[in-house]
Amino acid sequence: GAVVSQHPSWVICKSGTSVKIECRSLDFQATTMFWYRQFPKQSLMLMATSNEGSKATYEQGVEKDKFLINHASLTLSTLTVTSAHPEDSSFYICSGVVGTVHDNEQFFGPGTRLTVL
Amino acid sequence: RKEVEQDPGPFNVPEGATVAFNCTYSNSASQSFFWYRQDCRKEPKLLMSVYSSGNEDGRFTAQLNRASQYISLLIRDSKLSDSATYLCVPARYDKIIFGKGTRLHILP
């Protein structure tokens, strides 16, 4: 299957700092990228849907000013957690798809584990 | 109401046994589904797509019962490596929404 990378794979930061996570589709051009978050023993929660060149669509309850998403190209999307706090500590996973998720496989990155002290 | 309901488990099954999970769905218009597996602290991986009445891939068989609105996943000759959380997901055009899934532990 296609490959999606994430960087960094893990990050520890101090409360109040901002953290940027990169998601890259390495061997395909993702028309849509998704960002998910998963707390321990919880389900994978969709945060936002991002299309190249347009503003991300955020799920209900997700603060768009706190979780900044930039989808600069068909192979790169970034998620910036601004002014991170301990409650933002979580596993962040991105995915990319060519076309619709109904008819095409969505490829996931390996995830980024964020710990905010 | 949730789109899908799954028994969260855990299912503790001896190696070599056959295990089946059911997933009930609420939207009768749902046409197709995905089964994903997710290992602890890893990304989900697509196991199988189900676009018609069912699908089979090696030891894995999925069946879709539209009349009763459930989809099942059968794993035969279970391996230790099958231990994971299995997630039933209705196929939508715009996004994938995951539930908590069913946890499976294969015991040696």
Side-chain angles (χ1 to χ4, degrees):
Chain A
V3 179
V4 173
S5 70
Q6 279 185 243
H7 178 80
S9 55
W10 60 269
V11 57
I12 301 173
C13 69
K14 291 182 179 180
S15 186
T17 59
S18 294
V19 175
K20 180 186 281 189
I21 302 170
E22 288 187 353
C23 175
R24 293 182 185 272
S25 56
L26 299 184
D27 51 1
F28 69 103
Q29 293 187 319
T31 49
T32 305
M33 285 185 166
F34 302 90
W35 285 96
Y36 294 84
R37 177 170 59 177
Q38 188 171 34
F39 294 108
K41 298 188 178 181
Q42 298 295 313
S43 57
L44 209 55
M45 188 196 80
L46 179 65
M47 299 176 69
T49 301
S50 166
N51 292 294
E52 184 259 343
S54 60
K55 290 184 179 180
T57 302
Y58 290 81
E59 294 297 302
Q60 192 173 10
V62 178
E63 299 174 59
K64 62 179 181 179
D65 295 327
K66 180 168 181 63
F67 299 99
L68 301 179
I69 292 173
N70 184 284
H71 196 154
S73 73
L74 289 172
T75 58
L76 173 64
S77 177
T78 59
L79 168 68
T80 301
V81 183
T82 61
S83 187
H85 287 92
E87 57 267 29
D88 299 321
S89 299
S90 189
F91 190 47
Y92 291 85
I93 302 179
C94 72
S95 68
V97 66
V98 180
T100 69
V101 291
H102 184 278
D103 302 313
N104 302 281
E105 186 172 351
Q106 187 177 193
F107 298 100
F108 289 85
T112 296
R113 192 159 301 281
L114 170 64
T115 302
V116 184
L117 302 177
Chain B
R1 187 177 175 186
K2 293 180 181 177
E3 285 191 72
V4 295
E5 297 275 0
Q6 287 184 255
D7 183 339
F11 284 43
N12 297 306
V13 174
E15 189 177 10
T18 296
V19 60
F21 315 128
N22 269 353
C23 165
T24 57
Y25 60 94
S26 57
N27 185 356
S28 58
S30 296
Q31 295 292 310
S32 50
F33 296 83
F34 303 114
W35 277 106
Y36 280 85
R37 66 168 282 168
Q38 185 180 23
D39 295 284
C40 189
R41 295 174 173 255
K42 298 283 188 181
E43 74 275 23
K45 293 187 186 298
L46 182 65
L47 186 63
M48 193 175 293
S49 304
V50 186
Y51 290 106
S52 58
S53 61
N55 196 1
E56 184 172 332
D57 184 4
R59 297 183 294 111
F60 299 85
T61 301
Q63 288 191 315
L64 174 57
N65 186 316
R66 296 187 192 279
S68 302
Q69 291 187 210
Y70 75 84
I71 181 168
S72 63
L73 179 67
L74 181 80
I75 305 175
R76 290 180 295 277
D77 186 25
S78 55
K79 314 289 185 191
L80 295 175
S81 57
D82 293 333
S83 296
T85 296
Y86 289 82
L87 303 146
C88 160
V89 182
R92 293 173 49 163
Y93 283 91
D94 55 346
K95 55 191 174 184
I96 294 289
I97 304 295
F98 291 95
K100 286 192 174 183
T102 298
R103 288 177 59 199
L104 172 65
H105 293 155
I106 303 300
L107 307 173

